[in-house]
Amino acid sequence: MNDREPTRGHGKVILLGEHAVVYGRHALAVPLPRAAAAAVRPITGETTISIPYWGIHDVPVSQSQPLAGLVARVLTGLDAADTGFAIEVQTSLPRGMGLGSSAAVAVALVRAFGRLTGQEPDNERVNAIAYECEKLAHGTPSGLDNTVATYAVPMLFRRDPDLHIERVAAPEPPLVIALSSRPGSTTAEVTGVRERRERLPARYDALFDEIGALAQDGAAALERGDFEELGRLMNLCHGLLNAIEVSTAELEGMVQIARAAGAAGAKLTGAGGGGSIVAICPGAVDAVSAALESAGFRTLIPRS
Ligand code: PMV
């Protein structure tokens, strides 16, 4: 790799399995490639960070939680000291939208500091350090975001607590992502699900089993390029995510718009409570995107 080239981290979109994956079930996710790029150089004085898309311009890291914690965790993971750095992160991923922005930035930073300190950590180490960063950001994450952010391949993921990653060799699915009007909080949604599960453990576990089974079947459908079947499974998954109370009225409306415009399936993606939906749209990407845009929602069409 060219030393001047920025180091990368990748975003993700969960097609099936969010929340259940926190309880050891499978999840199916595809990457949003090259979503974050980082460059780091030594400076005299205090470490500063810029993430222009998030409105952060040359801010001393010490004055910017949670970024101070993130940088400290990256440096600790690499056994490096904070001797003063200018950190620049380019990303076009919005925060809190269920698209793995924090993990993408963490992975790009681990690779940037790894290169600067002459270590070039392998993917396993990058992923392990980024997982520590995600714990700082989200409490008890499954590790799915940092794993897709590191490896950037479609995957069936499970942590039980050992990490199981199966790469899904798949044709590119015709996806449309739409952003709702408000960010969601992964920590708040995961905590809410945990509290509700404590009151109805057997019923929640049965729902998690079913969501995990949908993810496994979905991986097979994706591998076959059977996007209609994958869409049916995504519709079922959305219903179960609604059942565990992580959907919102706005997300429900967005899912309905996508289906009415011809999506084979649509569901919330990520933690919910806001954030985004993902629709699979064989032959209807433009129609679904246009319907969501004309209802006032920004859409993204991922391309590798
Ligand atoms: O909304 P995001 O991008 O933070 O995704 C959260 C996915 C969950 O399954 C809800 C949590 C996790 O750690 O896997």
Side-chain angles (χ1 to χ4, degrees), residues 177-188:
I177 294 164
L179 310 184
S180 76
S181 67
R182 69 179 183 106
S185 158
T186 303
T187 308

Side-chain angles (χ1 to χ4, degrees), residues 118-262:
Q119 304 186 44
E120 300 280 353
D122 63 9
N123 282 340
E124 202 177 321
R125 181 135 181 257
V126 169
N127 194 25
I129 299 171
Y131 185 41
E132 294 305 313
C133 297
E134 284 290 279
K135 285 185 194 162
L136 201 64
H138 301 309
T140 54
S142 63
L144 172 61
D145 286 22
N146 48 276
T147 304
V148 182
T150 301
Y151 292 94
V153 293
M155 66 173 68
L156 192 58
F157 172 98
R158 187 163 65 96
R159 181 186 288 282
D160 69 350
D162 295 334
L163 185 59
H164 305 273
I165 314 172
E166 284 170 56
R167 184 180 178 156
V168 179
E172 189 155 316
L175 300 178
V176 175
I177 294 164
L179 310 184
S180 76
S181 67
R182 69 179 183 106
S185 158
T186 303
T187 308
E189 296 308 314
V190 169
T191 303
V193 170
R194 178 164 299 116
E195 286 167 4
R196 291 189 286 279
R197 176 177 177 265
E198 274 161 19
R199 286 185 215 110
L200 293 170
R203 297 210 180 273
Y204 267 68
D205 285 346
L207 293 175
F208 293 154
D209 284 343
E210 183 56 25
I211 291 173
L214 290 172
Q216 287 178 281
D217 285 0
L222 179 60
E223 206 146 40
R224 291 195 305 274
D226 189 345
F227 301 132
E228 299 287 341
E229 175 74 2
L230 181 54
R232 286 188 279 274
L233 301 173
M234 287 166 63
N235 286 338
L236 289 176
C237 185
H238 180 73
L240 299 178
L241 291 168
N242 189 342
I244 64 171
E245 300 181 40
V246 296
S247 190
T248 65
E250 187 179 41
L251 293 170
E252 292 303 310
M254 294 167 75
V255 162
Q256 292 305 328
I257 292 168
R259 290 178 190 161

Side-chain angles (χ1 to χ4, degrees), residues 12 14 17-22 97-100 138 140-145 186 190 269-272:
K12 64 95 190 43
I14 302 177
E18 47 274 269
H19 288 288
V21 70
V22 175
M97 284 296 168
L99 303 177
H138 301 309
T140 54
S142 63
L144 172 61
D145 286 22
T186 303
V190 169
T269 185

Side-chain angles (χ1 to χ4, degrees), residues 23 26 33 36 54 63 72 90 100 152 160 164 169-170 183 203 221 223 246 278 302:
Y23 298 87
H26 288 89
W54 296 356
Q63 286 169 30
Q90 295 296 338
D160 69 350
H164 305 273
R203 297 210 180 273
E223 206 146 40
V246 296
V278 59

